[in-house]
Protein backbone atom coordinates (compact mmCIF):
# COMPACT_ATOMS: atom_id res chain seq x y z
CA UNK A 1 0.00 0.00 0.00
CA UNK A 2 2.90 2.34 0.68
CA UNK A 3 4.30 1.72 -2.81
CA UNK A 4 0.89 2.33 -4.39
CA UNK A 5 0.45 5.55 -2.41
CA UNK A 6 3.86 6.80 -3.55
CA UNK A 7 3.19 5.93 -7.20
CA UNK A 8 -0.24 7.61 -7.13
CA UNK A 9 0.90 10.63 -5.11
CA UNK A 10 -1.69 10.09 -2.36
CA UNK A 11 -1.74 8.98 1.27
CA UNK A 12 -1.87 5.38 2.46
CA UNK A 13 -5.28 6.13 3.97
CA UNK A 14 -6.57 7.17 0.52
CA UNK A 15 -5.29 3.92 -0.97
CA UNK A 16 -7.09 2.04 1.77
CA UNK A 17 -10.37 3.85 1.03
CA UNK A 18 -10.09 3.01 -2.68
CA UNK A 19 -9.30 -0.65 -2.01
CA UNK A 20 -12.24 -0.88 0.37
CA UNK A 21 -14.61 0.71 -2.15
CA UNK A 22 -15.48 3.74 -0.08
CA UNK A 23 -17.34 6.53 -1.87
CA UNK A 24 -15.47 9.44 -0.27
CA UNK A 25 -12.80 9.51 -2.98
CA UNK A 26 -12.88 11.70 -6.09
CA UNK A 27 -13.02 10.02 -9.50
CA UNK A 28 -9.63 11.46 -10.47
CA UNK A 29 -7.96 10.20 -7.30
CA UNK A 30 -9.61 6.79 -7.60
CA UNK A 31 -8.35 6.42 -11.19
CA UNK A 32 -4.83 7.44 -10.11
CA UNK A 33 -4.80 4.82 -7.35
CA UNK A 34 -6.29 2.13 -9.58
CA UNK A 35 -3.72 2.93 -12.26
CA UNK A 36 -0.90 2.55 -9.72
CA UNK A 37 -2.40 -0.71 -8.51
CA UNK A 38 -2.49 -2.03 -12.07
CA UNK A 39 1.09 -0.96 -12.81
CA UNK A 40 2.54 -2.35 -9.60
CA UNK A 41 0.27 -5.37 -9.41
CA UNK A 42 -1.40 -5.77 -6.05
CA UNK A 43 -1.01 -9.19 -4.38
CA UNK A 44 -4.75 -9.77 -4.69
CA UNK A 45 -4.79 -9.00 -8.41
CA UNK A 46 -1.66 -11.06 -9.10
CA UNK A 47 -3.14 -14.04 -7.29
CA UNK A 48 -6.42 -13.83 -9.18
CA UNK A 49 -4.72 -13.50 -12.56
CA UNK A 50 -2.07 -16.13 -12.02
CA UNK A 51 -4.73 -18.46 -10.61
CA UNK A 52 -6.73 -18.62 -13.85
CA UNK A 53 -6.70 -22.24 -15.03
CA UNK A 54 -6.87 -21.52 -18.76
CA UNK A 55 -3.90 -21.23 -21.11
CA UNK A 56 -5.68 -20.49 -24.39
CA UNK A 57 -5.69 -16.96 -25.81
CA UNK A 58 -8.61 -15.40 -27.64
CA UNK A 59 -7.55 -13.22 -30.57
CA UNK A 60 -10.47 -10.97 -31.47
CA UNK A 61 -10.36 -9.03 -34.75
CA UNK A 62 -13.89 -8.04 -35.83
CA UNK A 63 -12.78 -7.22 -39.38
CA UNK A 64 -11.98 -9.10 -42.58
CA UNK A 65 -8.41 -10.40 -42.38
CA UNK A 66 -7.00 -8.51 -45.34
CA UNK A 67 -3.38 -7.44 -45.68
CA UNK A 68 -3.45 -4.96 -42.76
CA UNK A 69 -5.26 -7.03 -40.14
CA UNK A 70 -3.90 -10.29 -41.53
CA UNK A 71 -0.31 -9.20 -40.84
CA UNK A 72 -1.15 -8.33 -37.22
CA UNK A 73 -3.11 -11.53 -36.56
CA UNK A 74 -0.41 -13.69 -38.14
CA UNK A 75 2.26 -12.10 -35.95
CA UNK A 76 0.11 -12.62 -32.85
CA UNK A 77 -0.56 -16.27 -33.70
CA UNK A 78 3.08 -17.04 -34.51
CA UNK A 79 4.31 -15.44 -31.29
CA UNK A 80 1.71 -17.24 -29.16
CA UNK A 81 2.84 -20.49 -30.75
CA UNK A 82 6.36 -19.77 -29.51
CA UNK A 83 4.88 -19.45 -26.01
CA UNK A 84 3.03 -22.77 -26.51
CA UNK A 85 -0.36 -21.10 -26.25
CA UNK A 86 -3.41 -22.21 -28.20
CA UNK A 87 -5.06 -19.50 -30.29
CA UNK A 88 -8.84 -19.12 -30.44
CA UNK A 89 -9.58 -16.80 -33.35
CA UNK A 90 -12.67 -14.60 -33.36
CA UNK A 91 -12.58 -12.65 -36.63
CA UNK A 92 -14.67 -11.20 -39.45
CA UNK A 93 -17.27 -8.45 -39.94
CA UNK A 94 -20.10 -10.77 -38.91
CA UNK A 95 -18.93 -10.93 -35.27
CA UNK A 96 -19.00 -7.17 -34.64
CA UNK A 97 -22.38 -7.03 -32.85
CA UNK A 98 -21.36 -9.91 -30.58
CA UNK A 99 -21.40 -9.39 -26.81
CA UNK A 100 -18.26 -11.44 -26.47
CA UNK A 101 -16.26 -9.34 -23.99
CA UNK A 102 -18.55 -9.70 -20.97
CA UNK A 103 -18.34 -13.49 -21.10
CA UNK A 104 -14.56 -13.86 -21.48
CA UNK A 105 -13.74 -14.24 -17.76
CA UNK A 106 -16.29 -17.07 -17.51
CA UNK A 107 -14.61 -19.19 -20.20
CA UNK A 108 -12.42 -21.49 -18.12
CA UNK A 109 -10.10 -22.45 -20.97
CA UNK A 110 -9.10 -18.84 -21.59
CA UNK A 111 -6.06 -17.36 -19.90
CA UNK A 112 -6.26 -14.00 -21.68
CA UNK A 113 -7.15 -12.15 -24.87
CA UNK A 114 -5.76 -9.81 -27.51
CA UNK A 115 -8.31 -7.35 -28.87
CA UNK A 116 -7.51 -5.69 -32.20
CA UNK A 117 -9.15 -2.29 -32.82
CA UNK A 118 -12.10 -3.26 -30.60
CA UNK A 119 -15.36 -1.48 -31.50
CA UNK A 120 -16.69 -1.74 -27.94
CA UNK A 121 -16.77 1.46 -25.86
CA UNK A 122 -14.09 2.10 -23.25
CA UNK A 123 -16.54 1.35 -20.44
CA UNK A 124 -16.87 -2.26 -21.65
CA UNK A 125 -13.09 -2.66 -21.68
CA UNK A 126 -12.87 -1.12 -18.22
CA UNK A 127 -15.50 -3.56 -16.94
CA UNK A 128 -13.45 -6.45 -18.31
CA UNK A 129 -10.31 -5.10 -16.64
CA UNK A 130 -12.11 -4.79 -13.30
CA UNK A 131 -12.73 -8.54 -13.37
CA UNK A 132 -8.94 -9.10 -13.46
CA UNK A 133 -9.08 -10.77 -16.87
CA UNK A 134 -5.74 -10.29 -18.66
CA UNK A 135 -6.00 -8.66 -22.09
CA UNK A 136 -4.13 -6.28 -24.38
CA UNK A 137 -5.64 -3.89 -26.92
CA UNK A 138 -3.92 -3.36 -30.26
CA UNK A 139 -4.64 0.06 -31.81
CA UNK A 140 -7.49 1.23 -29.53
CA UNK A 141 -10.33 3.13 -31.18
CA UNK A 142 -10.85 5.43 -28.21
CA UNK A 143 -8.65 6.69 -25.34
CA UNK A 144 -8.30 4.00 -22.69
CA UNK A 145 -7.89 4.21 -18.91
CA UNK A 146 -4.29 4.06 -17.75
CA UNK A 147 -4.66 0.57 -16.31
CA UNK A 148 -5.60 -1.11 -19.60
CA UNK A 149 -2.66 -2.48 -21.59
CA UNK A 150 -2.51 -1.19 -25.15
CA UNK A 151 -0.08 -1.17 -28.08
CA UNK A 152 -0.35 1.24 -31.01
CA UNK A 153 1.73 2.95 -33.66
CA UNK A 154 2.88 6.56 -33.37
CA UNK A 155 0.03 7.99 -35.41
CA UNK A 156 0.71 11.63 -34.58
CA UNK A 157 4.39 11.61 -35.51
CA UNK A 158 3.75 9.44 -38.57
CA UNK A 159 1.18 11.85 -39.98
CA UNK A 160 3.35 14.80 -39.07
CA UNK A 161 6.32 13.30 -40.95
CA UNK A 162 4.45 12.76 -44.21
CA UNK A 163 2.88 16.24 -44.21
CA UNK A 164 6.26 17.76 -43.31
CA UNK A 165 7.71 15.91 -46.31
CA UNK A 166 5.11 17.51 -48.58
CA UNK A 167 5.66 20.92 -47.00
CA UNK A 168 9.40 20.59 -47.70
CA UNK A 169 8.50 20.09 -51.37
CA UNK A 170 6.65 23.41 -51.39
CA UNK A 171 3.08 22.16 -50.90
CA UNK A 172 0.76 24.26 -48.78
CA UNK A 173 -2.71 23.39 -50.08
CA UNK A 174 -2.81 19.77 -48.94
CA UNK A 175 -5.97 17.66 -48.84
CA UNK A 176 -6.36 15.40 -45.81
CA UNK A 177 -8.44 12.26 -46.38
CA UNK A 178 -8.69 10.96 -42.81
CA UNK A 179 -10.29 7.94 -41.23
CA UNK A 180 -13.51 7.66 -39.21
CA UNK A 181 -13.99 10.62 -36.87
CA UNK A 182 -14.48 8.45 -33.77
CA UNK A 183 -11.18 6.58 -34.19
CA UNK A 184 -8.31 7.66 -31.94
CA UNK A 185 -5.86 7.11 -34.81
CA UNK A 186 -7.84 9.49 -37.04
CA UNK A 187 -7.75 12.28 -34.47
CA UNK A 188 -4.05 11.75 -33.78
CA UNK A 189 -3.17 11.85 -37.46
CA UNK A 190 -5.22 14.98 -38.08
CA UNK A 191 -3.36 16.63 -35.20
CA UNK A 192 -0.01 15.54 -36.66
CA UNK A 193 -1.02 16.91 -40.06
CA UNK A 194 -2.03 20.24 -38.52
CA UNK A 195 1.21 20.40 -36.54
CA UNK A 196 3.35 20.09 -39.68
CA UNK A 197 1.35 22.82 -41.44
CA UNK A 198 1.59 25.07 -38.39
CA UNK A 199 5.39 24.97 -38.68
CA UNK A 200 5.07 27.03 -41.87
CA UNK A 201 2.21 29.21 -40.64
CA UNK A 202 -0.62 27.37 -42.42
CA UNK A 203 -3.93 26.36 -40.87
CA UNK A 204 -5.71 23.27 -42.28
CA UNK A 205 -8.62 24.34 -44.47
CA UNK A 206 -11.92 22.67 -43.43
CA UNK A 207 -12.85 22.19 -47.08
CA UNK A 208 -9.71 20.11 -47.59
CA UNK A 209 -10.22 17.77 -44.61
CA UNK A 210 -12.53 14.75 -44.85
CA UNK A 211 -13.32 11.67 -42.76
CA UNK A 212 -14.03 8.41 -44.56
CA UNK A 213 -14.22 4.66 -44.16
CA UNK A 214 -10.67 3.59 -45.07
CA UNK A 215 -11.38 1.85 -48.38
CA UNK A 216 -10.29 2.37 -51.97
CA UNK A 217 -13.81 3.36 -53.06
CA UNK A 218 -14.15 5.98 -50.34
CA UNK A 219 -10.68 7.27 -51.17
CA UNK A 220 -11.66 7.57 -54.82
CA UNK A 221 -14.92 9.45 -54.23
CA UNK A 222 -13.40 11.81 -51.67
CA UNK A 223 -10.35 12.54 -53.81
CA UNK A 224 -12.66 13.18 -56.77
CA UNK A 225 -14.55 15.77 -54.73
CA UNK A 226 -11.34 17.50 -53.64
CA UNK A 227 -9.86 17.50 -57.13
CA UNK A 228 -13.04 19.05 -58.56
CA UNK A 229 -12.81 22.07 -56.25
CA UNK A 230 -12.30 25.43 -58.03
CA UNK A 231 -8.92 25.61 -56.31
CA UNK A 232 -7.85 22.01 -56.00
CA UNK A 233 -5.13 20.80 -53.60
CA UNK A 234 -1.63 20.20 -54.92
CA UNK A 235 -1.20 17.16 -52.67
CA UNK A 236 -3.31 14.55 -50.86
CA UNK A 237 -2.48 12.62 -47.71
CA UNK A 238 -4.72 9.66 -47.02
CA UNK A 239 -5.61 7.52 -44.00
CA UNK A 240 -4.22 4.35 -45.55
CA UNK A 241 -2.73 2.96 -48.73
CA UNK A 242 -6.11 1.73 -49.97
CA UNK A 243 -7.51 5.27 -49.90
CA UNK A 244 -4.36 6.44 -51.68
CA UNK A 245 -4.95 3.90 -54.46
CA UNK A 246 -8.48 5.26 -54.88
CA UNK A 247 -7.02 8.76 -55.05
CA UNK A 248 -4.64 7.67 -57.82
CA UNK A 249 -7.65 6.52 -59.84
CA UNK A 250 -9.43 9.86 -59.34
CA UNK A 251 -6.30 11.70 -60.48
CA UNK A 252 -5.91 9.49 -63.55
CA UNK A 253 -9.53 10.06 -64.63
CA UNK A 254 -8.91 13.84 -64.51
CA UNK A 255 -5.75 13.70 -66.55
CA UNK A 256 -3.56 14.64 -63.58
CA UNK A 257 -0.03 13.26 -63.57
CA UNK A 258 1.35 11.94 -60.28
CA UNK A 259 3.57 13.47 -58.99
CA UNK A 260 4.04 16.19 -61.64
CA UNK A 261 0.54 17.67 -61.20
CA UNK A 262 -0.50 16.10 -57.89
CA UNK A 263 1.33 14.40 -55.04
CA UNK A 264 -0.36 11.53 -53.17
CA UNK A 265 0.78 9.81 -49.98
CA UNK A 266 -0.65 6.85 -48.07
CA UNK A 267 -0.19 5.26 -44.67
CA UNK A 268 0.62 1.68 -43.49
CA UNK A 269 3.06 0.48 -46.22
CA UNK A 270 1.14 -2.69 -47.08
CA UNK A 271 1.89 -4.52 -50.33
CA UNK A 272 -0.38 -2.18 -52.33
CA UNK A 273 1.99 0.72 -51.78
CA UNK A 274 4.72 -0.84 -53.90
CA UNK A 275 2.32 -2.26 -56.52
CA UNK A 276 1.09 1.02 -57.99
CA UNK A 277 2.51 3.22 -60.73
CA UNK A 278 4.10 5.32 -59.42
CA UNK A 279 4.82 3.50 -56.17
CA UNK A 280 3.34 5.23 -53.14
CA UNK A 281 5.09 7.42 -50.66
CA UNK A 282 3.68 6.19 -47.36
CA UNK A 283 4.23 5.80 -43.64
CA UNK A 284 5.29 2.34 -42.52
CA UNK A 285 3.47 0.97 -39.50
CA UNK A 286 5.28 -1.86 -37.67
CA UNK A 287 2.26 -4.15 -38.03
CA UNK A 288 4.04 -7.38 -37.18
CA UNK A 289 5.77 -5.80 -34.19
CA UNK A 290 2.41 -4.54 -32.89
CA UNK A 291 1.28 -8.14 -32.66
CA UNK A 292 4.52 -9.41 -31.12
CA UNK A 293 4.64 -6.62 -28.53
CA UNK A 294 1.00 -7.27 -27.57
CA UNK A 295 1.78 -10.94 -26.92
CA UNK A 296 4.82 -9.99 -24.82
CA UNK A 297 2.67 -7.73 -22.63
CA UNK A 298 -0.08 -10.34 -22.37
CA UNK A 299 2.30 -13.10 -21.25
CA UNK A 300 3.49 -10.90 -18.39
CA UNK A 301 -0.07 -10.09 -17.39
CA UNK A 302 -1.13 -13.73 -17.55
CA UNK A 303 1.80 -14.70 -15.34
CA UNK A 304 0.68 -12.13 -12.77
CA UNK A 305 3.76 -9.92 -13.20
CA UNK A 306 3.69 -6.19 -12.51
CA UNK A 307 3.82 -4.12 -15.72
CA UNK A 308 4.82 -0.49 -15.30
CA UNK A 309 4.39 0.62 -18.93
CA UNK A 310 0.90 -0.36 -20.02
CA UNK A 311 0.54 1.98 -23.02
CA UNK A 312 3.21 1.25 -25.64
CA UNK A 313 3.62 3.35 -28.80
CA UNK A 314 5.83 2.01 -31.60
CA UNK A 315 7.66 4.28 -34.00
CA UNK A 316 6.59 4.69 -37.63
CA UNK A 317 8.83 5.39 -40.63
CA UNK A 318 8.33 7.67 -43.63
CA UNK A 319 8.91 5.76 -46.89
CA UNK A 320 9.47 8.16 -49.80
CA UNK A 321 8.71 6.75 -53.23
CA UNK A 322 7.59 8.11 -56.57
CA UNK A 323 4.10 9.47 -55.83
CA UNK A 324 5.27 12.72 -54.21
CA UNK A 325 7.21 15.55 -55.82
CA UNK A 326 7.69 19.31 -55.83
CA UNK A 327 4.64 21.55 -55.92
CA UNK A 328 3.59 22.35 -59.52
CA UNK A 329 4.96 25.69 -60.71
CA UNK A 330 1.82 26.60 -62.67
Amino acid sequence: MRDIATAAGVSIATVSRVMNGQASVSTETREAVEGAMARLGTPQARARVAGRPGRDVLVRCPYVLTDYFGIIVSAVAETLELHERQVILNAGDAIRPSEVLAGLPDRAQLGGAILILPPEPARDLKALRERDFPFVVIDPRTPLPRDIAAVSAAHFSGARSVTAHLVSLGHRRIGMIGGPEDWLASRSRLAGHASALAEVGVLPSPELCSSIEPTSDWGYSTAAHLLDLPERPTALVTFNDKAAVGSLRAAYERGLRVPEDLSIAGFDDVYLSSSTVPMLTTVRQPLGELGRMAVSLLMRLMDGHAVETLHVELATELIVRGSTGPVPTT
Side-chain angles (χ1 to χ4, degrees):
M1 290 178 65
R2 184 180 297 108
D3 291 341
I4 293 169
T6 300
V10 300
S11 67
I12 294 176
T14 298
V15 173
S16 177
R17 286 195 292 271
V18 171
M19 295 181 73
N20 291 325
Q22 296 181 20
S24 58
V25 181
S26 70
T27 301
E28 181 180 357
T29 300
R30 184 179 300 279
E31 289 181 351
V33 172
E34 290 175 346
M37 291 167 64
R39 292 193 301 275
L40 297 175
T42 63
Q44 299 97 319
R46 285 200 298 268
R48 285 194 294 269
V49 170
R52 289 193 61 84
R55 289 181 51 83
D56 296 352
V57 174
L58 178 83
V59 179
R60 175 171 164 78
C61 181
Y63 310 93
V64 176
L65 298 183
T66 54
D67 45 3
Y68 179 90
F69 291 110
I71 293 171
I72 296 174
V73 170
S74 294
V76 169
E78 291 167 2
T79 310
L80 286 171
E81 177 70 21
L82 294 176
H83 288 275
E84 299 182 344
R85 301 282 180 164
Q86 185 73 32
V87 175
I88 299 177
L89 181 61
N90 184 248
D93 281 336
I95 68 165
R96 266 195 220 188
S98 174
E99 299 291 337
V100 67
L101 295 190
L104 293 183
D106 301 321
R107 296 170 63 174
Q109 83 275 25
L110 288 182
I114 289 179
L115 311 176
I116 302 171
L117 195 64
E120 291 82 7
R123 65 176 180 273
D124 289 357
L125 297 170
K126 185 175 181 180
L128 183 60
R129 173 67 187 86
E130 289 172 349
R131 295 184 65 184
D132 293 317
F133 181 81
F135 69 95
V136 177
V137 176
I138 295 179
D139 208 7
R141 275 199 185 195
T142 58
L144 297 178
R146 288 174 292 181
D147 61 344
I148 292 180
V151 181
S152 63
H155 296 293
F156 176 92
S157 60
R160 191 181 189 284
S161 69
V162 71
T163 298
H165 163 67
L166 292 168
V167 166
S168 72
L169 294 171
H171 297 276
R172 297 296 184 270
R173 191 166 172 79
I174 302 173
M176 172 69 173
I177 302 178
E181 290 182 348
D182 61 341
W183 286 16
L184 182 60
S186 302
R187 298 195 294 273
S188 296
R189 293 187 197 176
L190 180 58
H193 171 70
S195 175
L197 289 177
E199 288 290 321
V200 291
V202 176
L203 292 175
S205 172
E207 72 170 350
L208 296 181
C209 296
S210 302
S211 297
I212 67 166
E213 289 296 320
T215 67
S216 177
D217 287 344
W218 274 95
Y220 165 76
S221 60
T222 306
H225 168 74
L226 292 172
L227 297 178
D228 288 339
L229 291 173
E231 186 182 357
R232 65 172 176 82
T234 62
L236 298 175
V237 291
T238 63
F239 186 77
N240 63 2
D241 294 333
K242 291 179 182 179
V245 168
S247 299
L248 283 172
R249 179 159 62 100
Y252 174 79
E253 289 181 354
R254 284 155 180 77
L256 297 174
R257 299 167 301 163
V258 177
E260 292 84 358
D261 303 320
L262 175 72
S263 289
I264 297 175
F267 208 104
D268 292 342
D269 194 31
V270 296
Y271 80 94
L272 276 176
S273 63
S274 56
S275 302
T276 59
V277 179
M279 292 192 292
L280 284 171
T281 290
T282 187
V283 175
R284 178 176 294 159
Q285 286 205 69
L287 300 177
E289 190 60 25
L290 287 174
R292 289 185 286 271
M293 179 62 71
V295 172
S296 177
L297 275 176
L298 182 64
M299 291 301 98
R300 294 168 66 188
L301 293 173
M302 289 174 64
D303 290 339
H305 296 164
V307 180
E308 292 188 8
T309 303
L310 285 172
H311 289 194
V312 179
E313 190 174 87
L314 302 181
T316 56
E317 179 185 2
L318 175 66
I319 306 297
V320 178
R321 297 193 180 105
S323 66
T324 53
V327 65
T329 56
T330 56

